[in-house]
mmCIF file of all heavy atoms in Angstrom:
data_model
loop_
_atom_site.group_PDB
_atom_site.id
_atom_site.type_symbol
_atom_site.label_atom_id
_atom_site.label_comp_id
_atom_site.label_asym_id
_atom_site.label_seq_id
_atom_site.Cartn_x
_atom_site.Cartn_y
_atom_site.Cartn_z
ATOM 1 N N ILE B 870 126.226 56.294 -89.004
ATOM 2 C CA ILE B 870 125.810 55.714 -87.720
ATOM 3 C C ILE B 870 124.368 56.170 -87.452
ATOM 4 O O ILE B 870 124.060 57.357 -87.576
ATOM 5 C CB ILE B 870 126.729 56.190 -86.576
ATOM 6 C CG1 ILE B 870 128.222 56.060 -86.955
ATOM 7 C CG2 ILE B 870 126.413 55.452 -85.276
ATOM 8 C CD1 ILE B 870 128.713 54.651 -87.170
ATOM 9 N N SER B 871 123.515 55.217 -87.077
ATOM 10 C CA SER B 871 122.074 55.495 -86.925
ATOM 11 C C SER B 871 121.815 56.731 -86.057
ATOM 12 O O SER B 871 120.997 57.585 -86.394
ATOM 13 C CB SER B 871 121.369 54.277 -86.329
ATOM 14 O OG SER B 871 121.871 53.999 -85.037
ATOM 15 N N ASP B 872 122.532 56.814 -84.944
ATOM 16 C CA ASP B 872 122.384 57.921 -83.995
ATOM 17 C C ASP B 872 122.602 59.264 -84.689
ATOM 18 O O ASP B 872 121.915 60.250 -84.416
ATOM 19 C CB ASP B 872 123.413 57.694 -82.881
ATOM 20 C CG ASP B 872 123.579 58.858 -81.934
ATOM 21 O OD1 ASP B 872 122.578 59.532 -81.642
ATOM 22 O OD2 ASP B 872 124.711 59.061 -81.467
ATOM 23 N N HIS B 873 123.542 59.315 -85.609
ATOM 24 C CA HIS B 873 123.908 60.558 -86.292
ATOM 25 C C HIS B 873 122.952 60.842 -87.461
ATOM 26 O O HIS B 873 122.563 61.987 -87.690
ATOM 27 C CB HIS B 873 125.359 60.448 -86.795
ATOM 28 C CG HIS B 873 125.962 61.756 -87.185
ATOM 29 N ND1 HIS B 873 126.449 62.008 -88.438
ATOM 30 C CD2 HIS B 873 126.153 62.900 -86.486
ATOM 31 C CE1 HIS B 873 126.920 63.245 -88.496
ATOM 32 N NE2 HIS B 873 126.766 63.807 -87.329
ATOM 33 N N VAL B 874 122.588 59.778 -88.188
ATOM 34 C CA VAL B 874 121.712 59.942 -89.349
ATOM 35 C C VAL B 874 120.271 60.191 -88.902
ATOM 36 O O VAL B 874 119.522 60.922 -89.558
ATOM 37 C CB VAL B 874 121.779 58.691 -90.260
ATOM 38 C CG1 VAL B 874 120.878 58.848 -91.477
ATOM 39 C CG2 VAL B 874 123.216 58.410 -90.696
ATOM 40 N N GLY B 875 119.901 59.568 -87.777
ATOM 41 C CA GLY B 875 118.518 59.707 -87.318
ATOM 42 C C GLY B 875 117.596 58.619 -87.846
ATOM 43 O O GLY B 875 116.384 58.699 -87.697
ATOM 44 N N ILE B 876 118.164 57.605 -88.466
ATOM 45 C CA ILE B 876 117.400 56.467 -88.980
ATOM 46 C C ILE B 876 118.139 55.201 -88.542
ATOM 47 O O ILE B 876 119.364 55.155 -88.630
ATOM 48 C CB ILE B 876 117.332 56.474 -90.528
ATOM 49 C CG1 ILE B 876 116.860 57.847 -91.049
ATOM 50 C CG2 ILE B 876 116.418 55.359 -91.044
ATOM 51 C CD1 ILE B 876 117.039 58.013 -92.560
ATOM 52 N N GLY B 877 117.401 54.201 -88.049
ATOM 53 C CA GLY B 877 118.062 52.994 -87.545
ATOM 54 C C GLY B 877 117.725 51.754 -88.340
ATOM 55 O O GLY B 877 116.624 51.647 -88.907
ATOM 56 N N LYS B 878 118.671 50.808 -88.420
ATOM 57 C CA LYS B 878 118.388 49.501 -89.014
ATOM 58 C C LYS B 878 117.220 48.848 -88.273
ATOM 59 O O LYS B 878 117.119 49.031 -87.063
ATOM 60 C CB LYS B 878 119.601 48.567 -88.851
ATOM 61 C CG LYS B 878 120.851 48.970 -89.567
ATOM 62 C CD LYS B 878 121.874 47.834 -89.319
ATOM 63 C CE LYS B 878 123.292 48.276 -89.476
ATOM 64 N NZ LYS B 878 124.233 47.230 -89.029
ATOM 65 N N PRO B 879 116.426 48.019 -88.886
ATOM 66 C CA PRO B 879 116.532 47.565 -90.287
ATOM 67 C C PRO B 879 115.853 48.491 -91.297
ATOM 68 O O PRO B 879 115.695 48.087 -92.446
ATOM 69 C CB PRO B 879 115.825 46.206 -90.260
ATOM 70 C CG PRO B 879 114.772 46.362 -89.211
ATOM 71 C CD PRO B 879 115.331 47.320 -88.187
ATOM 72 N N ASN B 880 115.468 49.694 -90.898
ATOM 73 C CA ASN B 880 114.792 50.610 -91.826
ATOM 74 C C ASN B 880 115.643 50.818 -93.089
ATOM 75 O O ASN B 880 116.754 51.338 -93.026
ATOM 76 C CB ASN B 880 114.557 51.953 -91.122
ATOM 77 C CG ASN B 880 113.622 52.847 -91.909
ATOM 78 O OD1 ASN B 880 113.445 52.668 -93.117
ATOM 79 N ND2 ASN B 880 113.004 53.792 -91.226
ATOM 80 N N PRO B 881 115.094 50.395 -94.254
ATOM 81 C CA PRO B 881 115.891 50.520 -95.491
ATOM 82 C C PRO B 881 116.254 51.967 -95.826
ATOM 83 O O PRO B 881 117.180 52.209 -96.599
ATOM 84 C CB PRO B 881 114.986 49.905 -96.569
ATOM 85 C CG PRO B 881 113.637 49.778 -95.966
ATOM 86 C CD PRO B 881 113.797 49.721 -94.493
ATOM 87 N N LYS B 882 115.532 52.928 -95.242
ATOM 88 C CA LYS B 882 115.870 54.335 -95.470
ATOM 89 C C LYS B 882 117.311 54.649 -95.077
ATOM 90 O O LYS B 882 117.950 55.511 -95.674
ATOM 91 C CB LYS B 882 114.956 55.243 -94.629
ATOM 92 C CG LYS B 882 113.581 55.466 -95.178
ATOM 93 C CD LYS B 882 112.914 56.531 -94.290
ATOM 94 C CE LYS B 882 111.429 56.633 -94.507
ATOM 95 N NZ LYS B 882 110.817 57.479 -93.455
ATOM 96 N N LEU B 883 117.800 53.975 -94.018
ATOM 97 C CA LEU B 883 119.186 54.228 -93.583
ATOM 98 C C LEU B 883 120.151 53.843 -94.699
ATOM 99 O O LEU B 883 121.087 54.591 -95.022
ATOM 100 C CB LEU B 883 119.495 53.442 -92.305
ATOM 101 C CG LEU B 883 120.952 53.503 -91.811
ATOM 102 C CD1 LEU B 883 121.356 54.933 -91.437
ATOM 103 C CD2 LEU B 883 121.161 52.592 -90.599
ATOM 104 N N TYR B 884 119.912 52.678 -95.321
ATOM 105 C CA TYR B 884 120.782 52.215 -96.400
ATOM 106 C C TYR B 884 120.661 53.144 -97.604
ATOM 107 O O TYR B 884 121.652 53.496 -98.229
ATOM 108 C CB TYR B 884 120.421 50.779 -96.778
ATOM 109 C CG TYR B 884 120.666 49.793 -95.656
ATOM 110 C CD1 TYR B 884 119.658 49.445 -94.755
ATOM 111 C CD2 TYR B 884 121.926 49.239 -95.478
ATOM 112 C CE1 TYR B 884 119.889 48.550 -93.720
ATOM 113 C CE2 TYR B 884 122.167 48.344 -94.446
ATOM 114 C CZ TYR B 884 121.151 48.006 -93.570
ATOM 115 O OH TYR B 884 121.394 47.140 -92.556
ATOM 116 N N ARG B 885 119.411 53.557 -97.925
ATOM 117 C CA ARG B 885 119.207 54.435 -99.089
ATOM 118 C C ARG B 885 119.869 55.792 -98.874
ATOM 119 O O ARG B 885 120.468 56.348 -99.788
ATOM 120 C CB ARG B 885 117.707 54.610 -99.356
ATOM 121 C CG ARG B 885 117.110 53.391 -100.033
ATOM 122 C CD ARG B 885 115.716 53.679 -100.586
ATOM 123 N NE ARG B 885 114.907 52.469 -100.513
ATOM 124 C CZ ARG B 885 113.854 52.288 -99.732
ATOM 125 N NH1 ARG B 885 113.426 53.265 -98.948
ATOM 126 N NH2 ARG B 885 113.213 51.140 -99.742
ATOM 127 N N ARG B 886 119.759 56.306 -97.646
ATOM 128 C CA ARG B 886 120.375 57.590 -97.345
ATOM 129 C C ARG B 886 121.892 57.524 -97.569
ATOM 130 O O ARG B 886 122.489 58.403 -98.200
ATOM 131 C CB ARG B 886 120.085 57.967 -95.877
ATOM 132 C CG ARG B 886 120.790 59.216 -95.388
ATOM 133 C CD ARG B 886 120.276 60.487 -96.034
ATOM 134 N NE ARG B 886 118.839 60.667 -95.884
ATOM 135 C CZ ARG B 886 118.248 61.248 -94.825
ATOM 136 N NH1 ARG B 886 118.977 61.725 -93.853
ATOM 137 N NH2 ARG B 886 116.940 61.358 -94.755
ATOM 138 N N ALA B 887 122.501 56.444 -97.087
ATOM 139 C CA ALA B 887 123.948 56.256 -97.247
ATOM 140 C C ALA B 887 124.324 56.234 -98.727
ATOM 141 O O ALA B 887 125.276 56.903 -99.156
ATOM 142 C CB ALA B 887 124.388 54.965 -96.564
ATOM 143 N N LEU B 888 123.540 55.502 -99.519
ATOM 144 C CA LEU B 888 123.850 55.387 -100.950
ATOM 145 C C LEU B 888 123.671 56.726 -101.668
ATOM 146 O O LEU B 888 124.480 57.104 -102.514
ATOM 147 C CB LEU B 888 122.959 54.316 -101.590
ATOM 148 C CG LEU B 888 123.236 52.903 -101.072
ATOM 149 C CD1 LEU B 888 122.113 51.951 -101.466
ATOM 150 C CD2 LEU B 888 124.575 52.389 -101.594
ATOM 151 N N ASP B 889 122.622 57.456 -101.306
ATOM 152 C CA ASP B 889 122.413 58.798 -101.862
ATOM 153 C C ASP B 889 123.630 59.674 -101.605
ATOM 154 O O ASP B 889 124.123 60.357 -102.500
ATOM 155 C CB ASP B 889 121.204 59.470 -101.190
ATOM 156 C CG ASP B 889 119.900 59.055 -101.848
ATOM 157 O OD1 ASP B 889 119.957 58.314 -102.851
ATOM 158 O OD2 ASP B 889 118.838 59.474 -101.345
ATOM 159 N N ARG B 890 124.083 59.663 -100.362
ATOM 160 C CA ARG B 890 125.202 60.530 -99.975
ATOM 161 C C ARG B 890 126.477 60.175 -100.734
ATOM 162 O O ARG B 890 127.260 61.047 -101.099
ATOM 163 C CB ARG B 890 125.456 60.417 -98.457
ATOM 164 C CG ARG B 890 124.381 61.009 -97.591
ATOM 165 C CD ARG B 890 124.494 62.534 -97.487
ATOM 166 N NE ARG B 890 123.262 63.130 -96.996
ATOM 167 C CZ ARG B 890 122.920 63.212 -95.696
ATOM 168 N NH1 ARG B 890 123.754 62.759 -94.772
ATOM 169 N NH2 ARG B 890 121.777 63.743 -95.328
ATOM 170 N N VAL B 891 126.671 58.877 -100.939
ATOM 171 C CA VAL B 891 127.881 58.441 -101.627
ATOM 172 C C VAL B 891 127.703 58.554 -103.147
ATOM 173 O O VAL B 891 128.678 58.575 -103.905
ATOM 174 C CB VAL B 891 128.251 57.003 -101.189
ATOM 175 C CG1 VAL B 891 129.412 56.445 -101.979
ATOM 176 C CG2 VAL B 891 128.599 56.988 -99.694
ATOM 177 N N GLY B 892 126.435 58.647 -103.580
ATOM 178 C CA GLY B 892 126.151 58.887 -104.989
ATOM 179 C C GLY B 892 126.243 57.652 -105.867
ATOM 180 O O GLY B 892 126.705 57.711 -107.010
ATOM 181 N N ILE B 893 125.820 56.507 -105.340
ATOM 182 C CA ILE B 893 125.804 55.303 -106.172
ATOM 183 C C ILE B 893 124.449 54.600 -106.050
ATOM 184 O O ILE B 893 123.693 54.833 -105.103
ATOM 185 C CB ILE B 893 126.944 54.320 -105.824
ATOM 186 C CG1 ILE B 893 126.815 53.822 -104.382
ATOM 187 C CG2 ILE B 893 128.305 54.959 -106.058
ATOM 188 C CD1 ILE B 893 127.821 52.766 -104.056
ATOM 189 N N ALA B 894 124.166 53.740 -107.018
ATOM 190 C CA ALA B 894 122.901 53.014 -107.025
ATOM 191 C C ALA B 894 122.974 51.828 -106.061
ATOM 192 O O ALA B 894 124.046 51.265 -105.855
ATOM 193 C CB ALA B 894 122.612 52.515 -108.438
ATOM 194 N N PRO B 895 121.819 51.432 -105.467
ATOM 195 C CA PRO B 895 121.814 50.296 -104.531
ATOM 196 C C PRO B 895 122.454 49.034 -105.099
ATOM 197 O O PRO B 895 123.205 48.350 -104.406
ATOM 198 C CB PRO B 895 120.321 50.090 -104.251
ATOM 199 C CG PRO B 895 119.706 51.437 -104.453
ATOM 200 C CD PRO B 895 120.487 52.070 -105.561
ATOM 201 N N SER B 896 122.164 48.744 -106.379
ATOM 202 C CA SER B 896 122.680 47.493 -106.945
ATOM 203 C C SER B 896 124.203 47.524 -107.124
ATOM 204 O O SER B 896 124.823 46.495 -107.374
ATOM 205 C CB SER B 896 122.001 47.220 -108.285
ATOM 206 O OG SER B 896 122.299 48.290 -109.177
ATOM 207 N N GLN B 897 124.779 48.708 -106.982
ATOM 208 C CA GLN B 897 126.247 48.808 -107.082
ATOM 209 C C GLN B 897 126.930 48.623 -105.726
ATOM 210 O O GLN B 897 128.140 48.756 -105.623
ATOM 211 C CB GLN B 897 126.633 50.192 -107.627
ATOM 212 C CG GLN B 897 126.146 50.453 -109.043
ATOM 213 C CD GLN B 897 126.459 51.878 -109.466
ATOM 214 O OE1 GLN B 897 126.018 52.827 -108.842
ATOM 215 N NE2 GLN B 897 127.229 52.011 -110.532
ATOM 216 N N ALA B 898 126.112 48.385 -104.680
ATOM 217 C CA ALA B 898 126.683 48.311 -103.327
ATOM 218 C C ALA B 898 126.394 46.975 -102.661
ATOM 219 O O ALA B 898 125.358 46.341 -102.897
ATOM 220 C CB ALA B 898 126.138 49.443 -102.462
ATOM 221 N N MET B 899 127.325 46.578 -101.824
ATOM 222 C CA MET B 899 127.196 45.333 -101.067
ATOM 223 C C MET B 899 127.164 45.691 -99.587
ATOM 224 O O MET B 899 127.826 46.639 -99.162
ATOM 225 C CB MET B 899 128.420 44.481 -101.392
ATOM 226 C CG MET B 899 128.528 43.184 -100.639
ATOM 227 S SD MET B 899 130.054 42.323 -101.184
ATOM 228 C CE MET B 899 129.375 41.322 -102.498
ATOM 229 N N TYR B 900 126.377 44.950 -98.806
ATOM 230 C CA TYR B 900 126.382 45.176 -97.365
ATOM 231 C C TYR B 900 126.757 43.900 -96.629
ATOM 232 O O TYR B 900 126.214 42.823 -96.913
ATOM 233 C CB TYR B 900 125.028 45.682 -96.851
ATOM 234 C CG TYR B 900 125.121 46.099 -95.412
ATOM 235 C CD1 TYR B 900 125.858 47.231 -95.057
ATOM 236 C CD2 TYR B 900 124.538 45.355 -94.397
ATOM 237 C CE1 TYR B 900 125.996 47.610 -93.734
ATOM 238 C CE2 TYR B 900 124.667 45.725 -93.070
ATOM 239 C CZ TYR B 900 125.393 46.855 -92.743
ATOM 240 O OH TYR B 900 125.557 47.222 -91.435
ATOM 241 N N VAL B 901 127.675 44.023 -95.676
ATOM 242 C CA VAL B 901 128.188 42.880 -94.917
ATOM 243 C C VAL B 901 127.834 43.054 -93.449
ATOM 244 O O VAL B 901 128.305 44.001 -92.797
ATOM 245 C CB VAL B 901 129.723 42.779 -95.056
ATOM 246 C CG1 VAL B 901 130.246 41.552 -94.316
ATOM 247 C CG2 VAL B 901 130.142 42.766 -96.524
#
Side-chain angles (χ1 to χ4, degrees):
Chain B
I870 312 295
S871 62
D872 170 36
H873 195 238
V874 180
I876 309 168
K878 296 184 203 171
N880 192 339
K882 281 187 194 169
L883 174 63
Y884 296 93
R885 283 193 212 112
R886 174 69 55 86
L888 294 166
D889 276 356
R890 291 281 163 82
V891 174
I893 62 174
S896 61
Q897 296 175 301
M899 176 180 268
Y900 188 69
V901 183

